[in-house]
Amino acid sequence: MVLTPAEKQKRYRERQKAAELEAAKAAPVTTDYLKRPFSEFVGDRDFAFDASLDAYGVHISGPDLLRTEIQKFKSEYDRDEPVTALERAIGILGACLDAADELSVLINQYKLAEIGRAIDDALEASANLPRGDVEALKGSLAEIDRLKLIQTQLRAPARYVFPSTQVKAERPD
């Protein structure tokens, strides 16, 4: 069977990707560039996120958050080995990102459902306007357009950009 140029290109990319994956697995994961402990780098900094989370009832426990290299804190999950300050910071970041993703989906679904209901109500109200009342019809159509604009904006994804914390060269997968 003769392959088309597109199929040849696809197979070439698949082989290339597999080779990169194998090379990444074979290469040792080194973070030898991390000389100074993360807890030393943190020093006496104050974290705004700690107070922000606390204001909404989320408490990050442990003495001197990220200020001691070996972290000990109460958790429902048992750990056999201690967690370093950097590992805990990365874990907190991941948990916050997961929470932000889950909450944004929940809030978005709620707002879309409510805006859909409001559009339906506005359409029904528009249909029940007295005949010949042009100004009321214009106002009603303007309100429907405003609601549909909000709906369109809610359906568009939002992008938040953060500095990189992990790179391919550090990951074993």
Side-chain angles (χ1 to χ4, degrees), residues 47-139:
F47 299 106
F49 76 85
D50 193 24
S52 297
L53 291 174
D54 186 54
Y56 292 98
V58 178
H59 306 284
I60 300 177
S61 64
D64 296 326
L65 173 68
L66 305 178
R67 291 182 182 88
T68 54
E69 189 56 25
I70 302 301
Q71 296 282 304
K72 294 180 181 171
F73 50 91
K74 291 182 181 179
S75 173
E76 293 182 19
Y77 305 100
D78 294 329
R79 287 193 167 74
D80 294 335
E81 52 194 52
V83 177
T84 66
L86 179 61
E87 290 170 335
R88 186 174 187 200
I90 290 171
I92 291 170
L93 173 66
C96 288
L97 290 174
D98 289 346
D101 179 55
E102 191 172 336
L103 286 171
S104 68
V105 167
L106 183 66
I107 293 166
N108 184 266
Q109 288 174 345
Y110 166 74
K111 285 187 170 187
L112 283 172
E114 288 299 304
I115 202 75
R117 182 195 50 74
I119 289 171
D120 290 344
D121 291 349
L123 287 170
E124 186 176 324
S126 178
N128 293 332
L129 288 174
R131 294 184 67 126
D133 192 353
V134 177
E135 291 304 316
L137 183 60
K138 283 183 182 179

Side-chain angles (χ1 to χ4, degrees), residues 3-31:
L3 297 176
T4 66
E7 292 171 328
K8 289 179 184 178
Q9 186 67 27
K10 182 179 177 185
R11 288 188 182 181
Y12 170 73
R13 285 190 188 131
E14 288 172 354
R15 286 193 308 271
Q16 213 173 19
K17 190 171 184 177
E20 285 177 11
L21 189 61
E22 286 301 316
K25 285 182 182 179
V29 177
T30 59
T31 54

